[in-house]
Amino acid sequence: QVQLVKSGGALVQAGGSLRFSCAASRSISIFNVMAWYGQAPGNQRELVATITNLGNTYTANNVKGRFTISRDNTKNTVYLQMNSLKPEDTAVYYCNAIKYGGQFSGAYWGQGTQVTVSS
């Protein structure tokens, strides 16, 4: 099995920055896609950003230009750099990893971590 362990959350002021990391118990090179999701209070969990095993990235429109996803295969870790934070970024953030087919196939989730952005 694979476990994802995410760094702790925070309370930050609007305009501030935060970086999340999510470390896997196995090589992240086995995952086809790694992603970050956010779930704001009262809302469904929504996709924030993805990165494929080829390094291709996607960032949701509402965070484009402010959030950056990256990965370090040598550390088995995926990161989410969050800049220019806004109160509407307040959410519980989750990391996610997906492998299509073969051994360890499936979707894996890290524990959610609260980020609160104060105005």
Side-chain angles (χ1 to χ4, degrees), residues 26-89:
R26 292 184 175 271
S27 171
I28 63 171
S29 62
I30 70 171
F31 296 114
N32 298 91
V33 181
M34 299 195 74
W36 291 93
Y37 285 76
Q39 186 167 14
N43 289 356
Q44 292 184 336
R45 194 174 299 185
E46 296 181 345
L47 181 64
V48 174
T50 65
I51 186 166
T52 71
N53 55 0
L54 299 179
N56 298 314
T57 62
Y58 161 83
T59 309
N61 286 337
N62 61 320
V63 301
K64 194 179 296 290
R66 299 188 298 119
F67 290 12
T68 303
I69 188 171
S70 61
R71 59 193 289 163
D72 185 338
N73 288 352
T74 66
K75 297 181 179 179
N76 297 328
T77 300
V78 63
Y79 302 96
L80 183 67
Q81 179 67 43
M82 309 163 72
N83 297 329
S84 301
L85 282 161
K86 303 177 180 180
E88 51 262 44
D89 296 323

Short mmCIF file of all heavy atoms in Angstrom, two decimals, residues 26-89:
data_model
loop_
_atom_site.label_atom_id
_atom_site.label_comp_id
_atom_site.label_asym_id
_atom_site.label_seq_id
_atom_site.Cartn_x
_atom_site.Cartn_y
_atom_site.Cartn_z
N ARG A 26 6.25 5.46 -0.96
CA ARG A 26 6.94 4.79 -2.05
C ARG A 26 7.34 5.82 -3.10
O ARG A 26 6.92 6.97 -3.04
CB ARG A 26 6.04 3.73 -2.69
CG ARG A 26 5.77 2.55 -1.79
CD ARG A 26 4.95 1.50 -2.51
NE ARG A 26 4.79 0.30 -1.67
CZ ARG A 26 5.63 -0.70 -1.66
NH1 ARG A 26 6.69 -0.68 -2.46
NH2 ARG A 26 5.43 -1.74 -0.87
N SER A 27 8.10 5.38 -4.08
CA SER A 27 8.52 6.28 -5.13
C SER A 27 7.32 6.88 -5.83
O SER A 27 6.41 6.17 -6.26
CB SER A 27 9.38 5.52 -6.15
OG SER A 27 9.62 6.33 -7.28
N ILE A 28 7.29 8.20 -5.94
CA ILE A 28 6.15 8.85 -6.60
C ILE A 28 6.21 8.69 -8.11
O ILE A 28 5.26 9.04 -8.80
CB ILE A 28 6.04 10.34 -6.23
CG1 ILE A 28 7.28 11.12 -6.69
CG2 ILE A 28 5.80 10.50 -4.74
CD1 ILE A 28 7.11 12.63 -6.53
N SER A 29 7.30 8.17 -8.61
CA SER A 29 7.39 7.96 -10.05
C SER A 29 6.40 6.90 -10.53
O SER A 29 6.12 6.82 -11.73
CB SER A 29 8.82 7.56 -10.44
OG SER A 29 9.18 6.34 -9.83
N ILE A 30 5.85 6.12 -9.60
CA ILE A 30 4.89 5.10 -10.01
C ILE A 30 3.52 5.71 -10.29
O ILE A 30 2.68 5.07 -10.92
CB ILE A 30 4.73 4.00 -8.94
CG1 ILE A 30 4.01 4.52 -7.69
CG2 ILE A 30 6.08 3.38 -8.59
CD1 ILE A 30 3.64 3.43 -6.70
N PHE A 31 3.29 6.93 -9.82
CA PHE A 31 1.97 7.54 -9.96
C PHE A 31 1.85 8.25 -11.30
O PHE A 31 2.73 9.00 -11.70
CB PHE A 31 1.71 8.52 -8.82
CG PHE A 31 1.66 7.87 -7.47
CD1 PHE A 31 2.63 8.15 -6.52
CD2 PHE A 31 0.65 6.98 -7.17
CE1 PHE A 31 2.59 7.54 -5.28
CE2 PHE A 31 0.61 6.38 -5.92
CZ PHE A 31 1.58 6.65 -4.98
N ASN A 32 0.73 8.04 -11.94
CA ASN A 32 0.48 8.72 -13.21
C ASN A 32 0.21 10.20 -12.99
O ASN A 32 0.63 11.05 -13.78
CB ASN A 32 -0.70 8.08 -13.93
CG ASN A 32 -0.43 6.63 -14.25
OD1 ASN A 32 -0.75 5.74 -13.47
ND2 ASN A 32 0.18 6.38 -15.40
N VAL A 33 -0.53 10.49 -11.92
CA VAL A 33 -0.90 11.87 -11.61
C VAL A 33 -0.84 12.08 -10.11
O VAL A 33 -1.26 11.22 -9.35
CB VAL A 33 -2.34 12.20 -12.09
CG1 VAL A 33 -2.67 13.65 -11.78
CG2 VAL A 33 -2.50 11.91 -13.57
N MET A 34 -0.32 13.23 -9.72
CA MET A 34 -0.43 13.66 -8.33
C MET A 34 -1.14 15.00 -8.33
O MET A 34 -1.00 15.79 -9.27
CB MET A 34 0.93 13.74 -7.66
CG MET A 34 1.64 12.38 -7.63
SD MET A 34 3.02 12.30 -6.50
CE MET A 34 2.18 12.22 -4.91
N ALA A 35 -1.91 15.25 -7.29
CA ALA A 35 -2.77 16.42 -7.31
C ALA A 35 -2.98 16.98 -5.91
O ALA A 35 -2.71 16.33 -4.91
CB ALA A 35 -4.13 16.05 -7.92
N TRP A 36 -3.46 18.20 -5.91
CA TRP A 36 -3.92 18.86 -4.69
C TRP A 36 -5.38 19.25 -4.88
O TRP A 36 -5.75 19.76 -5.94
CB TRP A 36 -3.09 20.11 -4.39
CG TRP A 36 -1.69 19.81 -3.98
CD1 TRP A 36 -0.59 19.75 -4.79
CD2 TRP A 36 -1.22 19.52 -2.66
NE1 TRP A 36 0.54 19.44 -4.06
CE2 TRP A 36 0.16 19.31 -2.74
CE3 TRP A 36 -1.84 19.44 -1.42
CZ2 TRP A 36 0.95 19.00 -1.62
CZ3 TRP A 36 -1.07 19.14 -0.31
CH2 TRP A 36 0.31 18.92 -0.42
N TYR A 37 -6.16 19.02 -3.83
CA TYR A 37 -7.56 19.40 -3.81
C TYR A 37 -7.80 20.31 -2.61
O TYR A 37 -7.10 20.22 -1.60
CB TYR A 37 -8.45 18.16 -3.67
CG TYR A 37 -8.58 17.33 -4.91
CD1 TYR A 37 -7.55 16.49 -5.32
CD2 TYR A 37 -9.73 17.38 -5.69
CE1 TYR A 37 -7.67 15.71 -6.46
CE2 TYR A 37 -9.87 16.61 -6.83
CZ TYR A 37 -8.84 15.78 -7.21
OH TYR A 37 -8.97 15.02 -8.34
N GLY A 38 -8.80 21.15 -2.76
CA GLY A 38 -9.19 21.99 -1.65
C GLY A 38 -10.69 21.86 -1.41
O GLY A 38 -11.46 21.71 -2.35
N GLN A 39 -11.06 21.89 -0.14
CA GLN A 39 -12.48 21.83 0.22
C GLN A 39 -12.79 22.97 1.16
O GLN A 39 -12.41 22.95 2.34
CB GLN A 39 -12.81 20.49 0.86
CG GLN A 39 -14.29 20.30 1.13
CD GLN A 39 -14.65 18.87 1.46
OE1 GLN A 39 -13.78 18.04 1.75
NE2 GLN A 39 -15.93 18.55 1.39
N ALA A 40 -13.46 23.97 0.60
CA ALA A 40 -13.86 25.13 1.41
C ALA A 40 -15.08 24.75 2.25
O ALA A 40 -15.82 23.82 1.90
CB ALA A 40 -14.18 26.30 0.50
N PRO A 41 -15.30 25.48 3.33
CA PRO A 41 -16.44 25.17 4.20
C PRO A 41 -17.75 25.15 3.42
O PRO A 41 -18.07 26.09 2.69
CB PRO A 41 -16.41 26.31 5.21
CG PRO A 41 -14.99 26.75 5.24
CD PRO A 41 -14.49 26.58 3.84
N GLY A 42 -18.48 24.07 3.57
CA GLY A 42 -19.78 23.95 2.93
C GLY A 42 -19.73 23.58 1.46
O GLY A 42 -20.77 23.47 0.81
N ASN A 43 -18.52 23.41 0.92
CA ASN A 43 -18.38 23.10 -0.51
C ASN A 43 -17.85 21.69 -0.71
O ASN A 43 -17.34 21.05 0.21
CB ASN A 43 -17.42 24.10 -1.17
CG ASN A 43 -18.02 25.47 -1.28
OD1 ASN A 43 -19.17 25.69 -0.94
ND2 ASN A 43 -17.21 26.40 -1.75
N GLN A 44 -17.95 21.24 -1.95
CA GLN A 44 -17.36 19.96 -2.31
C GLN A 44 -15.86 20.11 -2.50
O GLN A 44 -15.35 21.22 -2.72
CB GLN A 44 -17.99 19.44 -3.60
CG GLN A 44 -19.45 19.06 -3.46
CD GLN A 44 -20.01 18.46 -4.73
OE1 GLN A 44 -19.52 18.71 -5.82
NE2 GLN A 44 -21.04 17.63 -4.59
N ARG A 45 -15.17 19.00 -2.42
CA ARG A 45 -13.74 19.01 -2.67
C ARG A 45 -13.50 19.33 -4.14
O ARG A 45 -14.12 18.74 -5.03
CB ARG A 45 -13.15 17.63 -2.32
CG ARG A 45 -11.65 17.60 -2.21
CD ARG A 45 -11.18 16.23 -1.71
NE ARG A 45 -11.72 15.93 -0.38
CZ ARG A 45 -11.38 14.84 0.31
NH1 ARG A 45 -10.50 13.97 -0.21
NH2 ARG A 45 -11.91 14.62 1.48
N GLU A 46 -12.60 20.26 -4.40
CA GLU A 46 -12.34 20.71 -5.76
C GLU A 46 -10.87 20.58 -6.11
O GLU A 46 -9.99 20.75 -5.26
CB GLU A 46 -12.78 22.17 -5.94
CG GLU A 46 -14.27 22.40 -5.78
CD GLU A 46 -14.66 23.84 -6.00
OE1 GLU A 46 -13.78 24.71 -6.00
OE2 GLU A 46 -15.87 24.10 -6.19
N LEU A 47 -10.63 20.31 -7.36
CA LEU A 47 -9.27 20.17 -7.85
C LEU A 47 -8.57 21.53 -7.87
O LEU A 47 -9.12 22.51 -8.37
CB LEU A 47 -9.28 19.57 -9.26
CG LEU A 47 -7.93 19.34 -9.90
CD1 LEU A 47 -7.13 18.30 -9.13
CD2 LEU A 47 -8.12 18.90 -11.36
N VAL A 48 -7.38 21.56 -7.34
CA VAL A 48 -6.58 22.79 -7.32
C VAL A 48 -5.48 22.72 -8.38
O VAL A 48 -5.30 23.65 -9.16
CB VAL A 48 -5.96 23.03 -5.94
CG1 VAL A 48 -5.01 24.22 -5.96
CG2 VAL A 48 -7.04 23.24 -4.89
N ALA A 49 -4.74 21.63 -8.39
CA ALA A 49 -3.63 21.51 -9.33
C ALA A 49 -3.24 20.05 -9.48
O ALA A 49 -3.46 19.25 -8.57
CB ALA A 49 -2.42 22.32 -8.85
N THR A 50 -2.68 19.73 -10.65
CA THR A 50 -2.19 18.38 -10.90
C THR A 50 -0.82 18.43 -11.56
O THR A 50 -0.45 19.44 -12.19
CB THR A 50 -3.12 17.58 -11.84
OG1 THR A 50 -3.12 18.20 -13.13
CG2 THR A 50 -4.54 17.52 -11.31
N ILE A 51 -0.10 17.34 -11.40
CA ILE A 51 1.17 17.18 -12.10
C ILE A 51 1.30 15.71 -12.48
O ILE A 51 1.06 14.82 -11.66
CB ILE A 51 2.37 17.66 -11.24
CG1 ILE A 51 3.66 17.61 -12.05
CG2 ILE A 51 2.48 16.87 -9.94
CD1 ILE A 51 4.81 18.38 -11.40
N THR A 52 1.63 15.47 -13.74
CA THR A 52 1.75 14.10 -14.22
C THR A 52 3.17 13.58 -13.98
O THR A 52 4.07 14.32 -13.60
CB THR A 52 1.44 14.00 -15.71
OG1 THR A 52 2.52 14.62 -16.45
CG2 THR A 52 0.13 14.69 -16.05
N ASN A 53 3.34 12.29 -14.24
CA ASN A 53 4.67 11.71 -14.08
C ASN A 53 5.63 12.20 -15.16
O ASN A 53 6.83 11.96 -15.07
CB ASN A 53 4.60 10.19 -14.06
CG ASN A 53 3.91 9.62 -15.28
OD1 ASN A 53 3.47 10.36 -16.16
ND2 ASN A 53 3.81 8.31 -15.35
N LEU A 54 5.10 12.90 -16.16
CA LEU A 54 5.96 13.53 -17.17
C LEU A 54 6.24 14.99 -16.84
O LEU A 54 6.94 15.66 -17.60
CB LEU A 54 5.31 13.41 -18.54
CG LEU A 54 5.08 11.99 -19.04
CD1 LEU A 54 4.40 12.02 -20.42
CD2 LEU A 54 6.39 11.22 -19.13
N GLY A 55 5.64 15.46 -15.75
CA GLY A 55 5.89 16.83 -15.34
C GLY A 55 4.91 17.85 -15.88
O GLY A 55 5.06 19.05 -15.64
N ASN A 56 3.90 17.39 -16.60
CA ASN A 56 2.89 18.31 -17.11
C ASN A 56 1.98 18.74 -15.96
O ASN A 56 1.56 17.93 -15.15
CB ASN A 56 2.06 17.64 -18.20
CG ASN A 56 2.91 17.25 -19.38
OD1 ASN A 56 3.72 18.03 -19.86
ND2 ASN A 56 2.75 16.02 -19.86
N THR A 57 1.68 20.04 -15.94
CA THR A 57 0.91 20.57 -14.83
C THR A 57 -0.39 21.20 -15.30
O THR A 57 -0.53 21.63 -16.45
CB THR A 57 1.70 21.62 -14.03
OG1 THR A 57 2.03 22.71 -14.89
CG2 THR A 57 2.98 21.02 -13.48
N TYR A 58 -1.32 21.24 -14.39
CA TYR A 58 -2.60 21.93 -14.57
C TYR A 58 -2.88 22.69 -13.28
O TYR A 58 -2.64 22.17 -12.19
CB TYR A 58 -3.72 20.94 -14.84
CG TYR A 58 -5.10 21.53 -14.59
CD1 TYR A 58 -5.74 22.29 -15.57
CD2 TYR A 58 -5.74 21.35 -13.36
CE1 TYR A 58 -6.98 22.85 -15.33
CE2 TYR A 58 -6.98 21.91 -13.12
CZ TYR A 58 -7.59 22.66 -14.09
OH TYR A 58 -8.81 23.22 -13.85
N THR A 59 -3.38 23.90 -13.42
CA THR A 59 -3.74 24.71 -12.26
C THR A 59 -5.13 25.28 -12.49
O THR A 59 -5.42 25.79 -13.57
CB THR A 59 -2.75 25.84 -12.03
OG1 THR A 59 -1.42 25.33 -12.01
CG2 THR A 59 -3.01 26.54 -10.70
N ALA A 60 -5.99 25.18 -11.49
CA ALA A 60 -7.35 25.70 -11.61
C ALA A 60 -7.32 27.20 -11.84
O ALA A 60 -6.43 27.91 -11.36
CB ALA A 60 -8.14 25.37 -10.35
N ASN A 61 -8.31 27.69 -12.56
CA ASN A 61 -8.33 29.10 -12.94
C ASN A 61 -8.31 30.03 -11.73
O ASN A 61 -7.68 31.10 -11.78
CB ASN A 61 -9.57 29.39 -13.78
CG ASN A 61 -9.45 28.83 -15.19
OD1 ASN A 61 -8.34 28.61 -15.68
ND2 ASN A 61 -10.57 28.60 -15.83
N ASN A 62 -8.97 29.64 -10.67
CA ASN A 62 -9.08 30.56 -9.53
C ASN A 62 -7.76 30.70 -8.76
O ASN A 62 -7.63 31.61 -7.92
CB ASN A 62 -10.20 30.14 -8.59
CG ASN A 62 -9.99 28.76 -8.01
OD1 ASN A 62 -9.55 27.85 -8.69
ND2 ASN A 62 -10.32 28.58 -6.74
N VAL A 63 -6.79 29.85 -9.04
CA VAL A 63 -5.49 29.96 -8.36
C VAL A 63 -4.34 30.11 -9.34
O VAL A 63 -3.18 30.21 -8.93
CB VAL A 63 -5.23 28.75 -7.43
CG1 VAL A 63 -6.32 28.65 -6.38
CG2 VAL A 63 -5.12 27.46 -8.23
N LYS A 64 -4.66 30.14 -10.61
CA LYS A 64 -3.63 30.24 -11.64
C LYS A 64 -2.82 31.51 -11.44
O LYS A 64 -3.37 32.59 -11.19
CB LYS A 64 -4.27 30.23 -13.03
CG LYS A 64 -3.29 29.99 -14.15
CD LYS A 64 -4.01 29.98 -15.50
CE LYS A 64 -4.99 28.84 -15.60
NZ LYS A 64 -4.29 27.54 -15.68
N GLY A 65 -1.51 31.37 -11.52
CA GLY A 65 -0.63 32.51 -11.32
C GLY A 65 -0.27 32.73 -9.87
O GLY A 65 0.64 33.53 -9.57
N ARG A 66 -0.95 32.05 -8.97
CA ARG A 66 -0.66 32.20 -7.53
C ARG A 66 -0.18 30.90 -6.91
O ARG A 66 0.68 30.92 -6.02
CB ARG A 66 -1.91 32.67 -6.79
CG ARG A 66 -2.44 34.01 -7.25
CD ARG A 66 -3.55 34.52 -6.34
NE ARG A 66 -4.72 33.64 -6.34
CZ ARG A 66 -5.18 33.03 -5.25
NH1 ARG A 66 -4.57 33.19 -4.09
NH2 ARG A 66 -6.26 32.29 -5.33
N PHE A 67 -0.71 29.79 -7.38
CA PHE A 67 -0.34 28.48 -6.83
C PHE A 67 0.49 27.73 -7.87
O PHE A 67 0.22 27.80 -9.07
CB PHE A 67 -1.57 27.65 -6.51
CG PHE A 67 -2.38 28.12 -5.33
CD1 PHE A 67 -2.18 29.36 -4.75
CD2 PHE A 67 -3.36 27.31 -4.80
CE1 PHE A 67 -2.93 29.79 -3.68
CE2 PHE A 67 -4.13 27.71 -3.72
CZ PHE A 67 -3.91 28.96 -3.16
N THR A 68 1.47 26.99 -7.39
CA THR A 68 2.33 26.20 -8.27
C THR A 68 2.52 24.81 -7.68
O THR A 68 2.89 24.68 -6.51
CB THR A 68 3.70 26.85 -8.46
OG1 THR A 68 3.54 28.18 -8.97
CG2 THR A 68 4.55 26.05 -9.43
N ILE A 69 2.27 23.81 -8.49
CA ILE A 69 2.51 22.43 -8.07
C ILE A 69 3.84 21.97 -8.64
O ILE A 69 4.21 22.33 -9.76
CB ILE A 69 1.36 21.50 -8.52
CG1 ILE A 69 1.51 20.11 -7.90
CG2 ILE A 69 1.26 21.44 -10.04
CD1 ILE A 69 0.29 19.22 -8.13
N SER A 70 4.56 21.20 -7.86
CA SER A 70 5.84 20.66 -8.33
C SER A 70 6.08 19.33 -7.63
O SER A 70 5.38 18.97 -6.68
CB SER A 70 6.99 21.64 -8.04
OG SER A 70 7.12 21.85 -6.64
N ARG A 71 7.07 18.62 -8.12
CA ARG A 71 7.38 17.33 -7.51
C ARG A 71 8.89 17.13 -7.48
O ARG A 71 9.62 17.65 -8.34
CB ARG A 71 6.71 16.19 -8.28
CG ARG A 71 7.11 16.08 -9.73
CD ARG A 71 6.18 15.16 -10.50
NE ARG A 71 6.38 13.77 -10.13
CZ ARG A 71 5.49 12.80 -10.40
NH1 ARG A 71 4.37 13.10 -11.01
NH2 ARG A 71 5.75 11.56 -10.06
N ASP A 72 9.34 16.39 -6.50
CA ASP A 72 10.74 16.02 -6.39
C ASP A 72 10.78 14.51 -6.24
O ASP A 72 10.52 13.97 -5.15
CB ASP A 72 11.39 16.72 -5.19
CG ASP A 72 12.89 16.45 -5.12
OD1 ASP A 72 13.36 15.45 -5.70
OD2 ASP A 72 13.59 17.25 -4.46
N ASN A 73 11.08 13.83 -7.34
CA ASN A 73 11.07 12.38 -7.31
C ASN A 73 12.13 11.82 -6.38
O ASN A 73 11.97 10.72 -5.83
CB ASN A 73 11.26 11.82 -8.72
CG ASN A 73 10.04 12.03 -9.59
OD1 ASN A 73 8.98 12.45 -9.12
ND2 ASN A 73 10.19 11.74 -10.88
N THR A 74 13.21 12.55 -6.17
CA THR A 74 14.28 12.05 -5.30
C THR A 74 13.85 12.04 -3.84
O THR A 74 14.38 11.29 -3.03
CB THR A 74 15.55 12.89 -5.44
OG1 THR A 74 15.30 14.22 -4.96
CG2 THR A 74 16.00 12.94 -6.90
N LYS A 75 12.87 12.88 -3.52
CA LYS A 75 12.35 12.94 -2.14
C LYS A 75 10.96 12.33 -2.02
O LYS A 75 10.36 12.38 -0.95
CB LYS A 75 12.33 14.39 -1.66
CG LYS A 75 13.70 15.04 -1.59
CD LYS A 75 13.62 16.46 -1.07
CE LYS A 75 15.01 17.08 -0.98
NZ LYS A 75 14.96 18.49 -0.51
N ASN A 76 10.46 11.79 -3.13
CA ASN A 76 9.12 11.20 -3.14
C ASN A 76 8.08 12.17 -2.61
O ASN A 76 7.19 11.79 -1.84
CB ASN A 76 9.10 9.90 -2.34
CG ASN A 76 9.99 8.84 -2.94
OD1 ASN A 76 10.15 8.78 -4.16
ND2 ASN A 76 10.59 8.01 -2.10
N THR A 77 8.19 13.42 -3.02
CA THR A 77 7.37 14.48 -2.45
C THR A 77 6.80 15.36 -3.54
O THR A 77 7.49 15.69 -4.51
CB THR A 77 8.20 15.33 -1.47
OG1 THR A 77 8.69 14.49 -0.41
CG2 THR A 77 7.35 16.43 -0.86
N VAL A 78 5.56 15.74 -3.35
CA VAL A 78 4.92 16.73 -4.22
C VAL A 78 4.63 17.96 -3.37
O VAL A 78 4.34 17.85 -2.18
CB VAL A 78 3.63 16.17 -4.86
CG1 VAL A 78 2.59 15.83 -3.83
CG2 VAL A 78 3.08 17.13 -5.90
N TYR A 79 4.74 19.12 -4.00
CA TYR A 79 4.60 20.39 -3.29
C TYR A 79 3.49 21.23 -3.88
O TYR A 79 3.15 21.11 -5.06
CB TYR A 79 5.91 21.19 -3.36
CG TYR A 79 7.11 20.48 -2.81
CD1 TYR A 79 7.98 19.78 -3.66
CD2 TYR A 79 7.40 20.51 -1.45
CE1 TYR A 79 9.09 19.12 -3.16
CE2 TYR A 79 8.51 19.85 -0.95
CZ TYR A 79 9.35 19.17 -1.81
OH TYR A 79 10.46 18.52 -1.30
N LEU A 80 2.93 22.09 -3.05
CA LEU A 80 2.03 23.13 -3.53
C LEU A 80 2.49 24.44 -2.93
O LEU A 80 2.40 24.64 -1.71
CB LEU A 80 0.58 22.84 -3.12
CG LEU A 80 -0.44 23.84 -3.64
CD1 LEU A 80 -0.54 23.75 -5.17
CD2 LEU A 80 -1.81 23.63 -3.01
N GLN A 81 3.03 25.30 -3.78
CA GLN A 81 3.43 26.63 -3.35
C GLN A 81 2.24 27.56 -3.54
O GLN A 81 1.71 27.67 -4.64
CB GLN A 81 4.62 27.12 -4.18
CG GLN A 81 5.09 28.51 -3.83
CD GLN A 81 5.70 28.61 -2.45
OE1 GLN A 81 6.47 27.75 -2.05
NE2 GLN A 81 5.35 29.66 -1.70
N MET A 82 1.84 28.19 -2.47
CA MET A 82 0.66 29.05 -2.48
C MET A 82 1.10 30.48 -2.16
O MET A 82 1.55 30.75 -1.05
CB MET A 82 -0.35 28.55 -1.44
CG MET A 82 -0.64 27.07 -1.57
SD MET A 82 -1.43 26.34 -0.11
CE MET A 82 -3.06 27.03 -0.23
N ASN A 83 0.99 31.36 -3.13
CA ASN A 83 1.38 32.75 -2.97
C ASN A 83 0.15 33.65 -3.07
O ASN A 83 -0.89 33.25 -3.58
CB ASN A 83 2.40 33.15 -4.02
CG ASN A 83 3.69 32.37 -3.91
OD1 ASN A 83 4.11 31.96 -2.83
ND2 ASN A 83 4.35 32.15 -5.05
N SER A 84 0.32 34.87 -2.61
CA SER A 84 -0.75 35.87 -2.69
C SER A 84 -2.08 35.28 -2.22
O SER A 84 -3.11 35.41 -2.88
CB SER A 84 -0.88 36.37 -4.14
OG SER A 84 0.33 36.93 -4.58
N LEU A 85 -2.02 34.67 -1.07
CA LEU A 85 -3.22 33.99 -0.55
C LEU A 85 -4.35 34.97 -0.29
O LEU A 85 -4.13 36.12 0.11
CB LEU A 85 -2.87 33.23 0.73
CG LEU A 85 -2.12 31.91 0.49
CD1 LEU A 85 -1.40 31.46 1.74
CD2 LEU A 85 -3.10 30.84 0.01
N LYS A 86 -5.55 34.50 -0.56
CA LYS A 86 -6.77 35.28 -0.38
C LYS A 86 -7.67 34.58 0.64
O LYS A 86 -7.60 33.36 0.80
CB LYS A 86 -7.51 35.41 -1.70
CG LYS A 86 -6.71 36.02 -2.83
CD LYS A 86 -7.51 36.02 -4.12
CE LYS A 86 -6.73 36.63 -5.27
NZ LYS A 86 -7.52 36.63 -6.53
N PRO A 87 -8.55 35.33 1.29
CA PRO A 87 -9.48 34.69 2.23
C PRO A 87 -10.27 33.55 1.59
O PRO A 87 -10.58 32.56 2.27
CB PRO A 87 -10.37 35.84 2.66
CG PRO A 87 -9.49 37.05 2.55
CD PRO A 87 -8.65 36.80 1.33
N GLU A 88 -10.58 33.69 0.31
CA GLU A 88 -11.35 32.64 -0.35
C GLU A 88 -10.54 31.37 -0.59
O GLU A 88 -11.09 30.36 -1.04
CB GLU A 88 -11.93 33.14 -1.68
CG GLU A 88 -10.94 33.79 -2.60
CD GLU A 88 -10.96 35.31 -2.49
OE1 GLU A 88 -11.01 35.83 -1.34
OE2 GLU A 88 -10.91 35.97 -3.56
N ASP A 89 -9.25 31.41 -0.32
CA ASP A 89 -8.42 30.19 -0.39
C ASP A 89 -8.56 29.36 0.88
O ASP A 89 -8.02 28.25 0.94
CB ASP A 89 -6.94 30.55 -0.59
CG ASP A 89 -6.67 31.24 -1.91
OD1 ASP A 89 -7.32 30.88 -2.92
OD2 ASP A 89 -5.82 32.16 -1.93
#
